[in-house]
Amino acid sequence: LLGNLFQQFYNMADTIIVGRYVGAGALAAVGSTGSIINMLIGLFAGLSTGAGVVISQAYGAKDDKRLHNAIHTTISLTFILSIIATVAGILIVDPMLRMMDTPDDVMVEASEYLTIYFSGAAGLLFYNMGSGILRAVGDSTRPLYFLIFSAITNVLFDLLFVVTFKLGVAGAAYATIISELLSAILVMLVLTFSK
């Protein structure tokens, strides 16, 4: 529950910071992407839960071969899904925004934000799948700590990119994908070096 709240915190922080430091148009642009981003987070969280069920069954049965296969299959699938989510996401940004009746005056900024966001979908997916693996073997605290760290990092990068560098909604999107990538790297490092 806390993990899902912190994942949604990224878009909320982006919305607040661009609204305060860029303007109402940027606020509307980033805010209009919230339901798409929440759908993506929900999809990735669901996939990680499904993978976690298979992994936890193998872990509980002490079936090391099946556990090894399940983890490697999950990581391989994550890599493939990252490519698909990135390409498909970038291609359908404008149609998604139009289906949601995004106002024309915020369409350009909303499209820019989502295009950058989808270009970094791998970080979100690898974090979710990696943390799902860790939770499946009984480690729910480290993924949460990594997510809290990256949520705080997102706010700091938002302030740097939006306020200092004046990058607008693009800066907020870059802050988010960099922060998500950091959480993914931390989770994958734990998986790589865990016994």
Side-chain angles (χ1 to χ4, degrees):
L1 178 63
L2 280 174
N4 286 338
L5 289 174
F6 273 100
Q7 284 193 322
Q8 292 176 8
F9 179 75
Y10 287 113
N11 187 252
M12 185 176 68
D14 290 352
T15 304
I16 292 168
I17 290 171
V18 298
R20 179 164 172 87
Y21 295 102
V22 180
L27 170 66
V30 175
S32 70
T33 65
S35 57
I36 295 170
I37 289 170
N38 290 338
M39 177 197 65
L40 192 65
I41 290 169
L43 175 66
F44 291 172
L47 289 171
S48 71
T49 300
V53 168
V54 174
I55 292 166
S56 64
Q57 287 174 341
Y59 182 75
K62 298 188 184 340
D63 186 342
D64 290 339
K65 183 173 192 243
R66 188 170 150 221
L67 177 64
H68 181 269
N69 289 340
I71 290 172
H72 284 86
T73 301
T74 299
I75 298 300
S76 299
L77 181 63
T78 302
F79 181 75
I80 293 166
L81 288 175
S82 294
I83 295 168
I84 293 169
T86 300
V87 173
I90 290 171
L91 291 175
I92 64 171
V93 163
D94 286 340
M96 277 192 297
L97 290 171
R98 292 204 189 288
M99 282 186 349
M100 293 175 47
D101 290 328
T102 303
D104 289 336
D105 58 332
V106 299
M107 186 68 165
V108 171
E109 287 181 308
S111 179
E112 179 183 27
Y113 181 84
L114 269 183
T115 300
I116 295 168
Y117 189 88
F118 275 112
S119 71
L124 178 62
L125 187 54
F126 270 96
Y127 167 78
N128 275 287
M129 294 301 247
S131 66
I133 293 168
L134 289 174
R135 284 191 306 271
V137 297
D139 184 357
S140 61
T141 54
R142 283 190 289 187
L144 180 61
Y145 293 151
F146 298 154
L147 188 58
I148 292 169
F149 162 76
S150 63
I152 293 167
T153 304
N154 180 54
V155 171
L156 296 175
F157 280 138
D158 271 340
L159 293 171
L160 178 67
F161 295 153
V162 174
V163 179
T164 305
F165 296 152
K166 309 274 189 231
L167 294 176
V169 297
Y174 287 126
T176 297
I177 65 170
I178 291 168
S179 299
E180 289 174 345
L181 181 62
L182 290 174
S183 64
I185 289 169
L186 290 169
V187 165
M188 296 312 289
L189 284 172
V190 167
L191 286 175
T192 302
F193 295 109
S194 292
K195 295 184 182 186

